[in-house]
Amino acid sequence: QVHLVESGGGSVQAGDTLRLSCVAIAYSGNFQCMSWFRQASGKEREWVGTIFTLSGSTYYDNSVLGRSTISQDNDKKTMHLQMHNLTPEDSAMYYCAAEPATSTSCPLGWTEGYKSWGQGTQVTVSS
């Protein structure tokens, strides 16, 4: 299991932009993929998007497509999520998850498929 730490959450106004980060602590291996999920109060955890670390290819849920960008640092151990034009519906705890390169495939939006999760960073958007 990899130690993942998210940061960058906070309280913002509708229409603002926020940049979240996820870093793998003391991990010498590589990742198959890294993903962002979010969970609003009283709701199930939902997939936001994924980056395949080797190719840099990214995939997004329709709810954030067109106003979000997932990127990674050159070390491929740090992932970012930049979201524009935030709305109150974006308020949630945001989690990152990662799948090691030794895995045969990336779980993408399948929550149960990930072995490593961060503790989350809270995003609150006020109207």
Side-chain angles (χ1 to χ4, degrees):
Q1 191 171 3
V2 180
H3 185 200
L4 301 171
V5 178
E6 303 96 335
S7 62
S11 296
V12 296
Q13 297 292 316
D16 283 353
T17 295
L18 204 62
R19 188 172 188 251
L20 307 180
S21 298
C22 169
V23 60
I25 303 296
Y27 180 64
S28 60
N30 296 312
F31 292 118
Q32 174 84 241
C33 64
M34 298 180 77
S35 296
W36 286 101
F37 289 78
R38 65 185 180 183
Q39 187 168 17
S41 179
K43 296 187 177 181
E44 292 187 355
R45 191 168 298 189
E46 62 179 18
W47 176 67
V48 175
T50 296
I51 184 166
F52 283 78
T53 56
L54 182 61
S55 67
S57 298
T58 53
Y59 299 86
Y60 302 92
D61 182 76
N62 285 338
S63 64
V64 302
L65 184 64
R67 62 187 183 95
S68 298
T69 302
I70 295 176
S71 61
Q72 60 182 348
D73 288 355
N74 288 337
D75 64 0
K76 296 180 172 38
K77 305 274 197 302
T78 303
M79 171 179 65
H80 308 283
L81 170 65
Q82 182 156 309
M83 298 181 65
H84 303 281
N85 198 22
L86 289 162
T87 73
E89 287 69 37
D90 294 313
S91 296
M93 185 72 80
Y94 282 72
Y95 299 91
C96 68
E99 188 69 5
T102 51
S103 295
T104 56
S105 63
C106 173
L108 283 174
W110 182 40
T111 308
E112 292 80 2
Y114 290 93
K115 302 177 184 65
S116 299
W117 290 86
Q119 293 300 306
T121 185
Q122 179 68 41
V123 173
T124 303
V125 184
S126 301
S127 59

